[in-house]
Amino acid sequence: MLQPVGKLLLFGATGDLAQRMLLPSLFALHADGLLPKGLTITGTARSDHDDSGFRAFARHSLEEFLPDDLKDDSVVESFLQRLDYQPLDASTLEGFDALKQKLGDISNGMAIFLSTAPWLFGPTIQGLQSAGLAGENVRIGLEKPLGRDLDSSREINDLVAAAFPEDRTFRIDHYLGKETVQNILALRFGNSLFEPVWNAQGIDHVQITVSETVGLEGRAGFYNDTGALRDMVQNHMLQLVALIAMEPPARFDGTAIRDEKVKVLRSLRKIEGADTAQLTVTGQYGGGAVKGQIVRDYATDLEKPSNTETFVAIKAHVDNWRWHGVPFYLRTGKRLAERRSEIVVQFKPVPHSIFAERGGSLKPNTLVIRLQPEEYVRLLVMAKQPGLDREGVRLREVPLNLSLENEFAGTRRRIAYERLLLDLIEGDPTLFVRRDEVEAQWEWVDGIRKGWETQDTKPKPYASGSWGPSASVALTERDGVTWNE
């Protein structure tokens, strides 16, 4: 692991991500005394601020996005003293020398958080190099999107690798910073209960759902060029598949965990050509009602016709011994019935029911790992209903709940970027995505997209406020499986 750094450089420091996530996360770390003493935070963007202007901007962001229980004027003031600012047009080399002068001595190391349009990656890296801001004591964190297909991703990775070797490159997937996602590892590898049945002998299928109730929400241009498959499946959802399906790593460190994840991603069965019609479903939201509010269709929101998918469902397989024959059902979409991110692990039924002759009906055990909006782990098990059983045995499915909010009520819930920013500053790569992972994800997703193109697949309409096209129900129902709703 690398050493903690003395400076943090934030590109895109006046953008939406910085306002909503980065500045509040850094403040929370400062308030808890977790940032290195003396760490300075330099923001840069095209906006024409000076230091005091950026501090005023940051203060306003904290007032708007910090929870009330974290607001403390004296702590806010001490945090703002860490901040300074240098305006920069990253598309040219001209301003990088001034940025270097603003940063001053970086001999104690620097971490860069780069959140910018993909076309600016090359000029930004070149500018950092030209100004001597890419030395051995500098590391870089890269916010997605990292390309739109395998070729463009490799191009970006090559540009970054020219200045920053892999051990100093931290690719960010904010889902990996979520507490419940990390609990997948604790659940699997910290309990003897699950691992013996965590395979094709014990598990019937796995479902992963990431559903949103919002539409474009100011991201029209980006989203229409991206679509649900690139926006959610290629990164967040495939990372969840990897964590659920990976073999036990030898130790809890960045190399061992990422070695096992990439094995899963390379074992994903290719979905190409005519197979896409049988194993995938695409959709685009129409008009409807979400949470009682009438909403418009995608084309009206976009203000032009489009074939971009706002929904995708996939039946995937991991072709290895552990998961032979176990389907992984993935679905994600916008303007769906509710906001939810969850993993559902459906175990196989018991081989023989001793209760059938007495009228007892059994259901297979189900493990639900909810990532948002609530955070919990719920195991559904069978129990006998109280009674004398004169008319037969009555069995009922009951939940064993682990609510993180209740069980750890005295511990403040942290947003994902707090952990990821602190790990970037301290140099811990465990929760960041390695290049071979990213490229394995793109290779699989590109096969699906190419299949859609060759088959001339158009997204099916679905009503806003529903769970997507009816074809997504058929995708699972023909296997005797129902989506967890």
Side-chain angles (χ1 to χ4, degrees):
M1 192 167 78
L2 304 173
Q3 295 300 310
V5 296
K7 294 183 183 292
L8 177 64
L9 173 59
L10 295 180
F11 280 84
T14 58
D16 185 67
L17 179 66
Q19 293 182 69
R20 292 177 175 272
M21 294 292 175
L22 304 185
L23 291 170
S25 295
L26 289 166
F27 170 81
L29 295 171
H30 167 84
D32 290 340
L34 294 173
L35 293 180
K37 187 177 181 180
L39 177 82
T40 61
I41 302 168
T42 300
T44 186
R46 291 192 178 192
S47 305
D48 191 21
H49 288 301
D50 57 14
D51 291 350
S52 61
F54 181 58
R55 288 169 184 166
F57 170 86
R59 181 185 287 109
H60 181 268
S61 297
L62 297 177
E63 287 172 355
E64 184 172 359
F65 295 110
L66 271 183
D68 289 339
D69 61 341
L70 286 185
K71 292 178 179 176
D72 182 309
D73 289 343
S74 63
V75 181
V76 169
E77 288 304 317
S78 65
F79 171 70
L80 295 178
Q81 294 310 304
R82 290 184 183 263
L83 305 183
D84 53 31
Y85 185 84
Q86 178 64 36
L88 176 72
D89 179 355
S91 66
T92 71
L93 296 179
E94 295 173 3
F96 281 89
D97 286 336
L99 177 62
K100 180 182 181 180
Q101 187 174 355
K102 183 72 175 184
L103 288 164
D105 181 17
I106 61 170
S107 59
N108 288 330
M110 181 171 70
I112 300 170
F113 186 101
L114 184 57
S115 175
T116 187
W119 67 270
L120 276 174
F121 272 96
T124 302
I125 297 298
Q126 188 180 0
L128 290 168
Q129 282 183 295
S130 70
L133 296 175
E136 292 184 0
N137 62 345
V138 180
R139 68 194 64 139
I140 191 165
L142 305 172
E143 181 63 63
K144 75 162 193 167
L146 298 179
R148 54 182 286 107
D149 54 24
L150 180 59
D151 289 342
S152 58
S153 177
R154 282 177 171 161
E155 183 178 347
I156 289 173
N157 279 319
D158 287 343
L159 288 169
V160 174
F164 298 93
E166 187 64 32
D167 66 340
R168 292 193 280 118
T169 301
F170 292 65
R171 295 173 193 82
I172 295 161
D173 185 327
H174 74 267
Y175 259 54
L176 298 182
K178 291 179 178 292
E179 199 70 52
T180 324
V181 172
Q182 295 162 57
N183 247 312
I184 294 171
L185 298 179
L187 189 75
R188 285 195 57 192
F189 306 127
N191 299 284
S192 60
L193 174 66
F194 292 110
E195 194 58 26
V197 293
W198 205 266
N199 50 47
Q201 285 68 52
I203 292 177
D204 181 79
H205 69 271
V206 177
Q207 299 179 24
I208 301 178
T209 294
V210 179
S211 59
E212 300 177 280
T213 56
V214 298
L216 294 179
E217 304 297 306
R219 300 173 72 219
F222 166 78
Y223 193 87
N224 194 57
D225 289 339
T226 305
L229 185 67
R230 291 189 183 111
D231 188 43
M232 294 298 296
V233 177
Q234 184 273 331
N235 40 77
H236 305 326
M237 298 189 78
L238 289 186
Q239 283 292 314
L240 295 179
V241 170
L243 289 171
I244 287 293
M246 65 190 278
E247 295 297 318
R251 59 190 63 84
F252 190 86
D253 66 30
T255 299
I257 288 175
R258 295 188 294 180
D259 282 350
E260 297 304 336
K261 283 198 297 173
V262 78
K263 290 177 187 175
V264 173
L265 297 169
R266 288 173 175 165
S267 298
L268 285 168
R269 185 184 302 171
K270 298 291 188 290
I271 300 176
E272 298 172 327
D275 288 342
T276 58
Q278 299 299 316
L279 300 176
T280 72
V281 174
T282 66
Q284 186 182 99
Y285 66 77
V290 178
K291 297 181 178 178
Q293 299 292 319
I294 301 299
V295 293
R296 305 181 303 181
D297 63 274
Y298 181 79
T300 303
D301 283 348
L302 189 63
E303 299 180 343
K304 63 179 181 180
S306 171
N307 285 324
T308 296
E309 80 283 358
T310 64
F311 175 95
V312 61
I314 303 171
K315 179 182 176 182
H317 287 89
V318 178
D319 281 338
N320 60 23
W321 278 23
R322 180 183 288 266
W323 297 108
H324 177 71
V326 178
F328 285 69
Y329 300 102
L330 318 178
R331 66 172 174 173
T332 184
K334 290 186 173 294
R335 290 266 172 88
L336 296 181
E338 66 179 70
R339 175 174 173 258
R340 179 196 299 179
S341 295
E342 71 177 12
I343 301 162
V344 177
V345 179
Q346 177 74 66
F347 293 94
K348 289 187 174 177
V350 297
H352 170 70
S353 174
I354 65 172
F355 307 102
E357 293 182 358
R358 300 285 299 275
S361 177
L362 292 177
K363 293 182 179 179
N365 300 130
T366 303
L367 178 69
V368 181
I369 304 170
R370 178 68 64 89
L371 311 178
Q372 63 183 28
E374 313 95 338
E375 292 184 317
Y376 62 72
V377 178
R378 175 178 295 163
L379 180 63
L380 301 178
V381 300
M382 298 305 299
K384 177 186 171 300
Q385 290 187 190
L388 298 177
D389 309 324
R390 309 323 299 161
E391 297 179 357
V393 176
R394 295 291 178 262
L395 302 175
R396 197 178 78 185
E397 195 175 48
V398 297
L400 301 179
N401 279 328
L402 169 59
S403 167
L404 298 186
E405 292 181 0
N406 293 337
E407 294 299 328
F408 302 104
T411 304
R412 185 170 67 81
R413 312 300 301 143
R414 295 189 180 274
I415 60 178
Y417 279 99
E418 290 182 48
R419 178 180 296 276
L420 296 175
L421 283 166
L422 186 59
D423 284 353
L424 173 63
I425 290 166
E426 294 183 341
D428 184 348
T430 306
L431 299 180
F432 296 86
V433 184
R434 211 165 56 191
R435 176 172 181 164
D436 51 359
E437 293 180 71
V438 173
E439 294 185 353
Q441 291 168 185
W442 274 123
E443 185 175 1
W444 191 73
V445 162
D446 282 357
I448 295 174
R449 291 206 66 87
K450 187 175 181 181
W452 290 349
E453 291 169 7
T454 59
Q455 300 297 306
D456 195 26
T457 300
K458 300 290 191 297
K460 297 175 172 59
Y462 64 93
S464 290
S466 71
W467 279 106
S470 57
S472 68
V473 176
L475 181 71
T476 59
E477 292 285 359
R478 58 176 170 252
D479 297 332
V481 172
T482 302
W483 288 109
N484 185 55
E485 295 173 0

